[in-house]
Amino acid sequence: MFLGVFYYASGLVFMLWVLVTTCFNGNVLPPLSILFIKPFSPHFHERILQWLANLGWGSIIDYVEIVGRVQPVITGNIVSDAAQPAGNKIMVCNHVSASDNVAIFVAARTLGHLGHLRFFAKKELLYVPILGWAAYFLGFIFLKRSWHEDKESVFKTFEQVAGSTTKRNFCLVMYPEGTRVSEKKLAESQEFAKSRGMLVLKHVLVPRVKGLLATFERLRSEIDAVVDITVGYNERGPSGSVRPSLADMLLRRDKVWALHLHVRIIPIASIPTEEAALTEWIFDLFAQKDQLLAGFKKDGRFPGPVKVLPPPNISQALRRAAGYMASATAMLALAALSFRLSASAAGGVLALSHIA
């Protein structure tokens, strides 16, 4: 009982720490950098954003691995490929749970792209205090779930992302299913597939291809590979939701949680360019995911050897957390100084008006 309360309390403290530090690092530092650094050194501005993302998301991975007892189990050709392409990427993942984002962080850090992540996200995230602004400044692409409404803003963002050596590398994260898998949504997706004479998938939804097609159309020349990630969960809670959930990772430590990822690096040169062939390739990609998840359900793991990851390093984790906190503290001090100078200036103006 006592340990359970302690685990919850420490998890809540960590979540509060993330919010407070992100408030200053994600909401104060980026606009200051835009005003005072970007006009003179756009490259350095982008490096600041990359550094912040590395520290912030890296701290989350550190916590869930060291404290939350999450053990990533990574398979796929990422295990055997000695030299991975170092350029820009598109990450494509199935969507089951909010925990999928942690799997994305793990895969990105393994590939050296954690600070380069930019998610396609729901428009509603933009209005979430603290997190929404941080996502905006990190270059997230916000969608209304209607391609007709989203197309122009997405293309505009692509123009900002592409074609400039002053910008940091990017790794665009897409969930082409458009929403998380549930029994109801899976049944609806299967009915849709039957009505269109398509392959009926049992573990993933029919992907929405328009956004992915547009991404390839506008950014193909900027990327060197697609990172195909399939996430699998062995356990489910009483309500049917998969585990580990974010609550399991952050608030409960009653067991070791395996987080299974099958990661394939697909060179862009092997992906079709013509729209019809590319559409078929996307559907085939999700058919392969469906087969992988069918095998995962049967065997409790994805096929192939497991990538050996270095054990969590507590000293490195503490240095990352200290760096993120130091940056937030500096922003807090700067804000306090600005407020004090503004108050002094206002007081001076008021005094001069009385003299006059």
Side-chain angles (χ1 to χ4, degrees), residues 54 57-58 61 65 71-86 89 91 102-117 171 227 229 259 261 263-265 306-310 320:
N54 258 319
W57 288 330
I61 298 174
E65 287 186 349
Q71 290 187 351
V73 181
I74 304 178
T75 54
N77 70 1
I78 189 177
V79 174
S80 57
D81 286 358
Q84 303 294 348
K89 304 282 188 296
M91 277 190 171
V102 176
I104 293 289
F105 293 161
V106 170
R109 187 165 75 174
T110 304
L111 291 168
H113 281 285
L114 184 59
H116 304 153
L117 290 178
C171 189
V227 181
I229 302 174
L259 183 63
L261 299 80
V263 184
R264 297 191 304 152
I265 311 297
V306 174
K307 185 175 182 64
V308 178
L309 299 176
R320 268 189 288 267

mmCIF file of all heavy atoms in Angstrom, residues 54 57-58 61 65 71-86 89 91 102-117 171 227 229 259 261 263-265 306-310 320:
data_model
loop_
_atom_site.group_PDB
_atom_site.id
_atom_site.type_symbol
_atom_site.label_atom_id
_atom_site.label_comp_id
_atom_site.label_asym_id
_atom_site.label_seq_id
_atom_site.Cartn_x
_atom_site.Cartn_y
_atom_site.Cartn_z
ATOM 1 N N ASN A 54 15.909 16.841 -27.584
ATOM 2 C CA ASN A 54 16.729 15.713 -27.117
ATOM 3 C C ASN A 54 16.677 15.571 -25.606
ATOM 4 O O ASN A 54 16.496 14.474 -25.065
ATOM 5 C CB ASN A 54 18.182 15.904 -27.569
ATOM 6 C CG ASN A 54 18.532 15.062 -28.774
ATOM 7 O OD1 ASN A 54 18.132 13.910 -28.873
ATOM 8 N ND2 ASN A 54 19.279 15.638 -29.693
ATOM 9 N N TRP A 57 12.580 14.903 -24.375
ATOM 10 C CA TRP A 57 12.092 13.562 -24.697
ATOM 11 C C TRP A 57 13.040 12.498 -24.147
ATOM 12 O O TRP A 57 12.610 11.417 -23.738
ATOM 13 C CB TRP A 57 11.917 13.418 -26.202
ATOM 14 C CG TRP A 57 10.739 14.192 -26.706
ATOM 15 C CD1 TRP A 57 9.596 14.472 -26.015
ATOM 16 C CD2 TRP A 57 10.575 14.801 -27.982
ATOM 17 N NE1 TRP A 57 8.728 15.209 -26.789
ATOM 18 C CE2 TRP A 57 9.305 15.419 -28.012
ATOM 19 C CE3 TRP A 57 11.361 14.879 -29.124
ATOM 20 C CZ2 TRP A 57 8.809 16.097 -29.120
ATOM 21 C CZ3 TRP A 57 10.886 15.557 -30.237
ATOM 22 C CH2 TRP A 57 9.624 16.166 -30.240
ATOM 23 N N GLY A 58 14.352 12.800 -24.146
ATOM 24 C CA GLY A 58 15.305 11.858 -23.564
ATOM 25 C C GLY A 58 15.050 11.630 -22.087
ATOM 26 O O GLY A 58 15.197 10.504 -21.584
ATOM 27 N N ILE A 61 12.230 9.128 -21.721
ATOM 28 C CA ILE A 61 12.703 7.753 -21.938
ATOM 29 C C ILE A 61 13.478 7.262 -20.721
ATOM 30 O O ILE A 61 13.288 6.134 -20.250
ATOM 31 C CB ILE A 61 13.599 7.683 -23.195
ATOM 32 C CG1 ILE A 61 12.829 8.081 -24.445
ATOM 33 C CG2 ILE A 61 14.147 6.250 -23.366
ATOM 34 C CD1 ILE A 61 13.688 8.167 -25.692
ATOM 35 N N GLU A 65 12.327 3.986 -18.450
ATOM 36 C CA GLU A 65 13.211 2.817 -18.453
ATOM 37 C C GLU A 65 13.788 2.544 -17.060
ATOM 38 O O GLU A 65 13.803 1.398 -16.612
ATOM 39 C CB GLU A 65 14.348 3.015 -19.451
ATOM 40 C CG GLU A 65 13.917 2.893 -20.910
ATOM 41 C CD GLU A 65 15.079 2.946 -21.879
ATOM 42 O OE1 GLU A 65 16.215 3.277 -21.452
ATOM 43 O OE2 GLU A 65 14.869 2.667 -23.065
ATOM 44 N N GLN A 71 11.168 -2.083 -20.660
ATOM 45 C CA GLN A 71 12.280 -2.660 -21.407
ATOM 46 C C GLN A 71 11.916 -2.749 -22.885
ATOM 47 O O GLN A 71 11.108 -3.595 -23.275
ATOM 48 C CB GLN A 71 12.641 -4.050 -20.872
ATOM 49 C CG GLN A 71 13.277 -4.044 -19.499
ATOM 50 C CD GLN A 71 13.763 -5.422 -19.080
ATOM 51 O OE1 GLN A 71 13.494 -6.430 -19.738
ATOM 52 N NE2 GLN A 71 14.476 -5.474 -17.968
ATOM 53 N N PRO A 72 12.471 -1.874 -23.725
ATOM 54 C CA PRO A 72 12.209 -1.968 -25.165
ATOM 55 C C PRO A 72 12.792 -3.255 -25.747
ATOM 56 O O PRO A 72 13.911 -3.654 -25.417
ATOM 57 C CB PRO A 72 12.920 -0.738 -25.739
ATOM 58 C CG PRO A 72 13.112 0.177 -24.572
ATOM 59 C CD PRO A 72 13.291 -0.710 -23.385
ATOM 60 N N VAL A 73 11.992 -3.913 -26.593
ATOM 61 C CA VAL A 73 12.434 -5.118 -27.303
ATOM 62 C C VAL A 73 12.335 -4.802 -28.791
ATOM 63 O O VAL A 73 11.233 -4.767 -29.349
ATOM 64 C CB VAL A 73 11.569 -6.339 -26.935
ATOM 65 C CG1 VAL A 73 12.073 -7.581 -27.660
ATOM 66 C CG2 VAL A 73 11.541 -6.555 -25.430
ATOM 67 N N ILE A 74 13.483 -4.549 -29.435
ATOM 68 C CA ILE A 74 13.507 -4.058 -30.806
ATOM 69 C C ILE A 74 13.991 -5.148 -31.752
ATOM 70 O O ILE A 74 15.055 -5.740 -31.559
ATOM 71 C CB ILE A 74 14.415 -2.819 -30.936
ATOM 72 C CG1 ILE A 74 13.963 -1.725 -29.960
ATOM 73 C CG2 ILE A 74 14.410 -2.295 -32.363
ATOM 74 C CD1 ILE A 74 14.819 -0.482 -29.987
ATOM 75 N N THR A 75 13.181 -5.413 -32.780
ATOM 76 C CA THR A 75 13.544 -6.356 -33.831
ATOM 77 C C THR A 75 13.432 -5.651 -35.181
ATOM 78 O O THR A 75 13.117 -4.466 -35.252
ATOM 79 C CB THR A 75 12.622 -7.586 -33.798
ATOM 80 O OG1 THR A 75 11.247 -7.142 -33.858
ATOM 81 C CG2 THR A 75 12.802 -8.393 -32.525
ATOM 82 N N GLY A 76 13.692 -6.385 -36.265
ATOM 83 C CA GLY A 76 13.621 -5.805 -37.601
ATOM 84 C C GLY A 76 15.003 -5.609 -38.190
ATOM 85 O O GLY A 76 16.020 -5.910 -37.562
ATOM 86 N N ASN A 77 15.068 -5.054 -39.412
ATOM 87 C CA ASN A 77 16.379 -4.915 -40.052
ATOM 88 C C ASN A 77 17.236 -3.833 -39.416
ATOM 89 O O ASN A 77 18.415 -3.696 -39.747
ATOM 90 C CB ASN A 77 16.240 -4.685 -41.563
ATOM 91 C CG ASN A 77 15.666 -3.313 -41.920
ATOM 92 O OD1 ASN A 77 15.382 -2.489 -41.044
ATOM 93 N ND2 ASN A 77 15.492 -3.068 -43.215
ATOM 94 N N ILE A 78 16.666 -3.059 -38.501
ATOM 95 C CA ILE A 78 17.470 -2.102 -37.734
ATOM 96 C C ILE A 78 18.534 -2.840 -36.910
ATOM 97 O O ILE A 78 19.571 -2.278 -36.567
ATOM 98 C CB ILE A 78 16.559 -1.268 -36.795
ATOM 99 C CG1 ILE A 78 17.349 -0.124 -36.149
ATOM 100 C CG2 ILE A 78 15.915 -2.130 -35.740
ATOM 101 C CD1 ILE A 78 16.511 0.779 -35.281
ATOM 102 N N VAL A 79 18.285 -4.131 -36.633
ATOM 103 C CA VAL A 79 19.229 -4.920 -35.841
ATOM 104 C C VAL A 79 20.486 -5.226 -36.635
ATOM 105 O O VAL A 79 21.606 -5.132 -36.134
ATOM 106 C CB VAL A 79 18.570 -6.237 -35.382
ATOM 107 C CG1 VAL A 79 19.583 -7.127 -34.675
ATOM 108 C CG2 VAL A 79 17.383 -5.944 -34.469
ATOM 109 N N SER A 80 20.318 -5.580 -37.920
ATOM 110 C CA SER A 80 21.449 -6.072 -38.712
ATOM 111 C C SER A 80 22.108 -5.008 -39.582
ATOM 112 O O SER A 80 23.232 -5.184 -40.022
ATOM 113 C CB SER A 80 20.989 -7.234 -39.610
ATOM 114 O OG SER A 80 19.925 -6.821 -40.445
ATOM 115 N N ASP A 81 21.399 -3.933 -39.887
ATOM 116 C CA ASP A 81 21.973 -2.907 -40.755
ATOM 117 C C ASP A 81 23.036 -2.131 -39.993
ATOM 118 O O ASP A 81 22.735 -1.352 -39.092
ATOM 119 C CB ASP A 81 20.883 -1.954 -41.264
ATOM 120 C CG ASP A 81 20.019 -2.603 -42.342
ATOM 121 O OD1 ASP A 81 20.300 -3.761 -42.718
ATOM 122 O OD2 ASP A 81 19.074 -1.955 -42.787
ATOM 123 N N ALA A 82 24.300 -2.330 -40.388
ATOM 124 C CA ALA A 82 25.408 -1.692 -39.668
ATOM 125 C C ALA A 82 25.423 -0.195 -39.882
ATOM 126 O O ALA A 82 25.669 0.579 -38.966
ATOM 127 C CB ALA A 82 26.732 -2.305 -40.107
ATOM 128 N N ALA A 83 25.164 0.247 -41.109
ATOM 129 C CA ALA A 83 25.219 1.679 -41.414
ATOM 130 C C ALA A 83 23.822 2.153 -41.802
ATOM 131 O O ALA A 83 23.343 1.857 -42.893
ATOM 132 C CB ALA A 83 26.205 1.941 -42.551
ATOM 133 N N GLN A 84 23.173 2.870 -40.915
ATOM 134 C CA GLN A 84 21.850 3.400 -41.208
ATOM 135 C C GLN A 84 21.984 4.745 -41.918
ATOM 136 O O GLN A 84 22.889 5.522 -41.625
ATOM 137 C CB GLN A 84 21.053 3.584 -39.904
ATOM 138 C CG GLN A 84 20.904 2.326 -39.074
ATOM 139 C CD GLN A 84 20.057 1.275 -39.761
ATOM 140 O OE1 GLN A 84 19.407 1.545 -40.755
ATOM 141 N NE2 GLN A 84 20.096 0.061 -39.237
ATOM 142 N N PRO A 85 21.082 5.035 -42.868
ATOM 143 C CA PRO A 85 21.115 6.351 -43.512
ATOM 144 C C PRO A 85 20.999 7.459 -42.470
ATOM 145 O O PRO A 85 20.219 7.357 -41.529
ATOM 146 C CB PRO A 85 19.887 6.332 -44.427
ATOM 147 C CG PRO A 85 19.536 4.894 -44.596
ATOM 148 C CD PRO A 85 19.977 4.202 -43.347
ATOM 149 N N ALA A 86 21.778 8.522 -42.648
ATOM 150 C CA ALA A 86 21.846 9.559 -41.615
ATOM 151 C C ALA A 86 20.957 10.760 -41.917
ATOM 152 O O ALA A 86 20.914 11.702 -41.144
ATOM 153 C CB ALA A 86 23.295 10.022 -41.448
ATOM 154 N N LYS A 89 14.008 11.525 -42.421
ATOM 155 C CA LYS A 89 13.201 10.302 -42.420
ATOM 156 C C LYS A 89 11.712 10.628 -42.340
ATOM 157 O O LYS A 89 11.306 11.698 -41.879
ATOM 158 C CB LYS A 89 13.540 9.426 -41.196
ATOM 159 C CG LYS A 89 15.006 9.047 -41.041
ATOM 160 C CD LYS A 89 15.384 7.924 -41.972
ATOM 161 C CE LYS A 89 16.788 7.420 -41.685
ATOM 162 N NZ LYS A 89 17.841 8.421 -41.913
ATOM 163 N N MET A 91 8.686 8.528 -40.451
ATOM 164 C CA MET A 91 8.361 7.386 -39.591
ATOM 165 C C MET A 91 6.876 7.077 -39.735
ATOM 166 O O MET A 91 6.033 7.970 -39.608
ATOM 167 C CB MET A 91 8.672 7.698 -38.128
ATOM 168 C CG MET A 91 10.104 7.488 -37.730
ATOM 169 S SD MET A 91 10.322 7.608 -35.935
ATOM 170 C CE MET A 91 12.023 7.041 -35.787
ATOM 171 N N VAL A 102 5.965 6.765 -26.818
ATOM 172 C CA VAL A 102 7.196 6.369 -26.135
ATOM 173 C C VAL A 102 8.000 5.432 -27.033
ATOM 174 O O VAL A 102 9.228 5.522 -27.117
ATOM 175 C CB VAL A 102 6.889 5.710 -24.780
ATOM 176 C CG1 VAL A 102 8.173 5.218 -24.115
ATOM 177 C CG2 VAL A 102 6.153 6.686 -23.865
ATOM 178 N N ALA A 103 7.303 4.514 -27.724
ATOM 179 C CA ALA A 103 7.982 3.618 -28.660
ATOM 180 C C ALA A 103 8.661 4.415 -29.770
ATOM 181 O O ALA A 103 9.788 4.095 -30.186
ATOM 182 C CB ALA A 103 6.978 2.620 -29.248
ATOM 183 N N ILE A 104 7.993 5.468 -30.249
ATOM 184 C CA ILE A 104 8.588 6.342 -31.271
ATOM 185 C C ILE A 104 9.849 7.000 -30.727
ATOM 186 O O ILE A 104 10.891 7.059 -31.403
ATOM 187 C CB ILE A 104 7.575 7.422 -31.705
ATOM 188 C CG1 ILE A 104 6.392 6.793 -32.452
ATOM 189 C CG2 ILE A 104 8.253 8.482 -32.565
ATOM 190 C CD1 ILE A 104 6.688 6.273 -33.814
ATOM 191 N N PHE A 105 9.782 7.495 -29.489
ATOM 192 C CA PHE A 105 10.963 8.124 -28.879
ATOM 193 C C PHE A 105 12.131 7.135 -28.818
ATOM 194 O O PHE A 105 13.276 7.490 -29.126
ATOM 195 C CB PHE A 105 10.645 8.605 -27.462
ATOM 196 C CG PHE A 105 9.664 9.746 -27.378
ATOM 197 C CD1 PHE A 105 9.001 10.027 -26.195
ATOM 198 C CD2 PHE A 105 9.395 10.543 -28.479
ATOM 199 C CE1 PHE A 105 8.101 11.076 -26.101
ATOM 200 C CE2 PHE A 105 8.486 11.594 -28.400
ATOM 201 C CZ PHE A 105 7.843 11.857 -27.207
ATOM 202 N N VAL A 106 11.839 5.902 -28.414
ATOM 203 C CA VAL A 106 12.889 4.889 -28.283
ATOM 204 C C VAL A 106 13.517 4.595 -29.644
ATOM 205 O O VAL A 106 14.746 4.538 -29.790
ATOM 206 C CB VAL A 106 12.317 3.597 -27.659
ATOM 207 C CG1 VAL A 106 13.333 2.454 -27.748
ATOM 208 C CG2 VAL A 106 11.914 3.835 -26.208
ATOM 209 N N ALA A 107 12.671 4.404 -30.659
ATOM 210 C CA ALA A 107 13.190 4.119 -32.003
ATOM 211 C C ALA A 107 14.018 5.285 -32.530
ATOM 212 O O ALA A 107 15.091 5.096 -33.117
ATOM 213 C CB ALA A 107 12.034 3.809 -32.955
ATOM 214 N N ALA A 108 13.518 6.503 -32.308
ATOM 215 C CA ALA A 108 14.230 7.684 -32.799
ATOM 216 C C ALA A 108 15.579 7.843 -32.109
ATOM 217 O O ALA A 108 16.583 8.185 -32.749
ATOM 218 C CB ALA A 108 13.374 8.932 -32.589
ATOM 219 N N ARG A 109 15.630 7.613 -30.791
ATOM 220 C CA ARG A 109 16.912 7.728 -30.095
ATOM 221 C C ARG A 109 17.887 6.646 -30.564
ATOM 222 O O ARG A 109 19.087 6.911 -30.705
ATOM 223 C CB ARG A 109 16.727 7.644 -28.575
ATOM 224 C CG ARG A 109 18.025 7.934 -27.826
ATOM 225 C CD ARG A 109 17.819 8.223 -26.363
ATOM 226 N NE ARG A 109 17.528 7.016 -25.589
ATOM 227 C CZ ARG A 109 17.431 7.016 -24.255
ATOM 228 N NH1 ARG A 109 17.559 8.135 -23.566
ATOM 229 N NH2 ARG A 109 17.167 5.892 -23.619
ATOM 230 N N THR A 110 17.379 5.448 -30.826
ATOM 231 C CA THR A 110 18.230 4.370 -31.337
ATOM 232 C C THR A 110 18.854 4.754 -32.672
ATOM 233 O O THR A 110 20.006 4.408 -32.961
ATOM 234 C CB THR A 110 17.416 3.073 -31.489
ATOM 235 O OG1 THR A 110 16.821 2.736 -30.235
ATOM 236 C CG2 THR A 110 18.283 1.923 -31.959
ATOM 237 N N LEU A 111 18.100 5.496 -33.497
ATOM 238 C CA LEU A 111 18.581 5.917 -34.810
ATOM 239 C C LEU A 111 19.328 7.251 -34.777
ATOM 240 O O LEU A 111 19.811 7.709 -35.817
ATOM 241 C CB LEU A 111 17.396 6.034 -35.783
ATOM 242 C CG LEU A 111 16.730 4.720 -36.189
ATOM 243 C CD1 LEU A 111 15.409 4.994 -36.890
ATOM 244 C CD2 LEU A 111 17.652 3.917 -37.093
ATOM 245 N N GLY A 112 19.389 7.885 -33.594
ATOM 246 C CA GLY A 112 20.051 9.180 -33.496
ATOM 247 C C GLY A 112 19.215 10.331 -34.003
ATOM 248 O O GLY A 112 19.747 11.379 -34.394
ATOM 249 N N HIS A 113 17.878 10.176 -33.984
ATOM 250 C CA HIS A 113 16.983 11.205 -34.529
ATOM 251 C C HIS A 113 16.009 11.760 -33.503
ATOM 252 O O HIS A 113 15.002 12.374 -33.868
ATOM 253 C CB HIS A 113 16.186 10.643 -35.713
ATOM 254 C CG HIS A 113 16.952 10.587 -36.997
ATOM 255 N ND1 HIS A 113 17.221 11.702 -37.748
ATOM 256 C CD2 HIS A 113 17.517 9.548 -37.649
ATOM 257 C CE1 HIS A 113 17.903 11.351 -38.820
ATOM 258 N NE2 HIS A 113 18.107 10.048 -38.781
ATOM 259 N N LEU A 114 16.263 11.571 -32.213
ATOM 260 C CA LEU A 114 15.290 11.987 -31.205
ATOM 261 C C LEU A 114 14.995 13.485 -31.289
ATOM 262 O O LEU A 114 13.836 13.908 -31.221
ATOM 263 C CB LEU A 114 15.793 11.621 -29.805
ATOM 264 C CG LEU A 114 14.841 11.903 -28.646
ATOM 265 C CD1 LEU A 114 13.531 11.143 -28.824
ATOM 266 C CD2 LEU A 114 15.476 11.531 -27.308
ATOM 267 N N GLY A 115 16.022 14.296 -31.444
ATOM 268 C CA GLY A 115 15.826 15.742 -31.509
ATOM 269 C C GLY A 115 15.241 16.230 -32.807
ATOM 270 O O GLY A 115 14.909 17.409 -32.937
ATOM 271 N N HIS A 116 15.100 15.333 -33.792
ATOM 272 C CA HIS A 116 14.600 15.721 -35.113
ATOM 273 C C HIS A 116 13.113 15.426 -35.298
ATOM 274 O O HIS A 116 12.556 15.723 -36.347
ATOM 275 C CB HIS A 116 15.376 14.983 -36.210
ATOM 276 C CG HIS A 116 16.857 15.191 -36.157
ATOM 277 N ND1 HIS A 116 17.769 14.267 -36.633
ATOM 278 C CD2 HIS A 116 17.595 16.220 -35.680
ATOM 279 C CE1 HIS A 116 19.001 14.710 -36.445
ATOM 280 N NE2 HIS A 116 18.918 15.896 -35.868
ATOM 281 N N LEU A 117 12.471 14.818 -34.290
ATOM 282 C CA LEU A 117 11.091 14.381 -34.449
ATOM 283 C C LEU A 117 10.139 15.557 -34.633
ATOM 284 O O LEU A 117 10.205 16.559 -33.925
ATOM 285 C CB LEU A 117 10.644 13.574 -33.225
ATOM 286 C CG LEU A 117 11.264 12.191 -33.034
ATOM 287 C CD1 LEU A 117 10.752 11.568 -31.747
ATOM 288 C CD2 LEU A 117 10.964 11.287 -34.220
ATOM 289 N N CYS A 171 12.484 14.314 -38.882
ATOM 290 C CA CYS A 171 11.988 12.941 -38.880
ATOM 291 C C CYS A 171 10.486 13.047 -38.629
ATOM 292 O O CYS A 171 10.048 13.177 -37.490
ATOM 293 C CB CYS A 171 12.690 12.131 -37.793
ATOM 294 S SG CYS A 171 12.351 10.368 -37.848
ATOM 295 N N VAL A 227 11.061 4.895 -42.038
ATOM 296 C CA VAL A 227 11.236 4.031 -40.877
ATOM 297 C C VAL A 227 9.854 3.452 -40.550
ATOM 298 O O VAL A 227 8.967 4.169 -40.092
ATOM 299 C CB VAL A 227 11.803 4.801 -39.670
ATOM 300 C CG1 VAL A 227 11.995 3.848 -38.484
ATOM 301 C CG2 VAL A 227 13.118 5.478 -40.034
ATOM 302 N N ILE A 229 7.560 1.317 -38.333
ATOM 303 C CA ILE A 229 7.530 0.821 -36.954
ATOM 304 C C ILE A 229 6.197 0.135 -36.685
ATOM 305 O O ILE A 229 5.134 0.703 -36.940
ATOM 306 C CB ILE A 229 7.720 1.972 -35.947
ATOM 307 C CG1 ILE A 229 9.047 2.697 -36.200
ATOM 308 C CG2 ILE A 229 7.668 1.456 -34.515
ATOM 309 C CD1 ILE A 229 9.236 3.929 -35.347
ATOM 310 N N LEU A 259 8.198 -3.516 -24.082
ATOM 311 C CA LEU A 259 7.623 -2.678 -25.132
ATOM 312 C C LEU A 259 8.223 -3.146 -26.453
ATOM 313 O O LEU A 259 9.402 -2.916 -26.740
ATOM 314 C CB LEU A 259 7.959 -1.203 -24.869
ATOM 315 C CG LEU A 259 7.371 -0.183 -25.847
ATOM 316 C CD1 LEU A 259 5.841 -0.201 -25.800
ATOM 317 C CD2 LEU A 259 7.878 1.225 -25.525
ATOM 318 N N LEU A 261 8.911 -3.429 -30.412
ATOM 319 C CA LEU A 261 8.948 -2.623 -31.627
ATOM 320 C C LEU A 261 9.612 -3.432 -32.737
ATOM 321 O O LEU A 261 10.706 -3.974 -32.546
ATOM 322 C CB LEU A 261 9.767 -1.345 -31.451
ATOM 323 C CG LEU A 261 9.400 -0.295 -30.443
ATOM 324 C CD1 LEU A 261 9.854 -0.673 -29.044
ATOM 325 C CD2 LEU A 261 10.055 1.031 -30.830
ATOM 326 N N VAL A 263 11.155 -2.682 -36.223
ATOM 327 C CA VAL A 263 11.585 -1.474 -36.946
ATOM 328 C C VAL A 263 12.304 -1.864 -38.228
ATOM 329 O O VAL A 263 13.309 -2.583 -38.193
ATOM 330 C CB VAL A 263 12.514 -0.610 -36.063
ATOM 331 C CG1 VAL A 263 12.863 0.687 -36.787
ATOM 332 C CG2 VAL A 263 11.855 -0.310 -34.719
ATOM 333 N N ARG A 264 11.781 -1.382 -39.343
ATOM 334 C CA ARG A 264 12.410 -1.625 -40.644
ATOM 335 C C ARG A 264 12.822 -0.304 -41.281
ATOM 336 O O ARG A 264 12.032 0.647 -41.311
ATOM 337 C CB ARG A 264 11.454 -2.346 -41.583
ATOM 338 C CG ARG A 264 11.035 -3.733 -41.140
ATOM 339 C CD ARG A 264 10.312 -4.446 -42.279
ATOM 340 N NE ARG A 264 9.167 -3.674 -42.752
ATOM 341 C CZ ARG A 264 8.692 -3.736 -43.994
ATOM 342 N NH1 ARG A 264 9.271 -4.499 -44.901
ATOM 343 N NH2 ARG A 264 7.633 -3.029 -44.337
ATOM 344 N N ILE A 265 14.033 -0.264 -41.807
ATOM 345 C CA ILE A 265 14.507 0.892 -42.563
ATOM 346 C C ILE A 265 14.302 0.587 -44.033
ATOM 347 O O ILE A 265 14.871 -0.385 -44.562
ATOM 348 C CB ILE A 265 15.996 1.184 -42.283
ATOM 349 C CG1 ILE A 265 16.273 1.197 -40.776
ATOM 350 C CG2 ILE A 265 16.407 2.495 -42.934
ATOM 351 C CD1 ILE A 265 15.546 2.262 -40.022
ATOM 352 N N VAL A 306 16.865 -9.848 -31.573
ATOM 353 C CA VAL A 306 16.563 -8.632 -30.812
ATOM 354 C C VAL A 306 17.806 -7.753 -30.772
ATOM 355 O O VAL A 306 18.924 -8.234 -30.542
ATOM 356 C CB VAL A 306 16.120 -8.983 -29.379
ATOM 357 C CG1 VAL A 306 15.937 -7.721 -28.539
ATOM 358 C CG2 VAL A 306 14.834 -9.797 -29.412
ATOM 359 N N LYS A 307 17.616 -6.465 -31.023
ATOM 360 C CA LYS A 307 18.727 -5.520 -30.963
ATOM 361 C C LYS A 307 19.181 -5.362 -29.514
ATOM 362 O O LYS A 307 18.357 -5.136 -28.618
ATOM 363 C CB LYS A 307 18.315 -4.163 -31.529
ATOM 364 C CG LYS A 307 19.472 -3.160 -31.614
ATOM 365 C CD LYS A 307 19.040 -1.877 -32.298
ATOM 366 C CE LYS A 307 20.194 -0.901 -32.416
ATOM 367 N NZ LYS A 307 21.288 -1.411 -33.275
ATOM 368 N N VAL A 308 20.477 -5.469 -29.315
ATOM 369 C CA VAL A 308 21.027 -5.308 -27.973
ATOM 370 C C VAL A 308 21.187 -3.813 -27.688
ATOM 371 O O VAL A 308 21.930 -3.113 -28.385
ATOM 372 C CB VAL A 308 22.385 -6.027 -27.844
ATOM 373 C CG1 VAL A 308 22.963 -5.802 -26.445
ATOM 374 C CG2 VAL A 308 22.232 -7.512 -28.130
ATOM 375 N N LEU A 309 20.472 -3.334 -26.699
ATOM 376 C CA LEU A 309 20.535 -1.916 -26.322
ATOM 377 C C LEU A 309 21.422 -1.749 -25.096
ATOM 378 O O LEU A 309 21.450 -2.625 -24.225
ATOM 379 C CB LEU A 309 19.133 -1.385 -26.014
ATOM 380 C CG LEU A 309 18.115 -1.422 -27.151
ATOM 381 C CD1 LEU A 309 16.754 -0.952 -26.650
ATOM 382 C CD2 LEU A 309 18.568 -0.543 -28.318
ATOM 383 N N PRO A 310 22.145 -0.644 -25.005
ATOM 384 C CA PRO A 310 22.931 -0.405 -23.785
ATOM 385 C C PRO A 310 22.001 -0.246 -22.593
ATOM 386 O O PRO A 310 20.890 0.284 -22.725
ATOM 387 C CB PRO A 310 23.671 0.897 -24.094
ATOM 388 C CG PRO A 310 22.865 1.568 -25.163
ATOM 389 C CD PRO A 310 22.271 0.454 -25.979
ATOM 390 N N ARG A 320 21.155 14.738 -18.300
ATOM 391 C CA ARG A 320 20.129 15.256 -19.198
ATOM 392 C C ARG A 320 19.072 16.045 -18.428
ATOM 393 O O ARG A 320 18.673 17.143 -18.826
ATOM 394 C CB ARG A 320 19.463 14.107 -19.962
ATOM 395 C CG ARG A 320 20.104 13.791 -21.293
ATOM 396 C CD ARG A 320 19.268 12.811 -22.091
ATOM 397 N NE ARG A 320 19.322 11.475 -21.528
ATOM 398 C CZ ARG A 320 20.187 10.540 -21.906
ATOM 399 N NH1 ARG A 320 21.084 10.814 -22.835
ATOM 400 N NH2 ARG A 320 20.159 9.334 -21.367
#
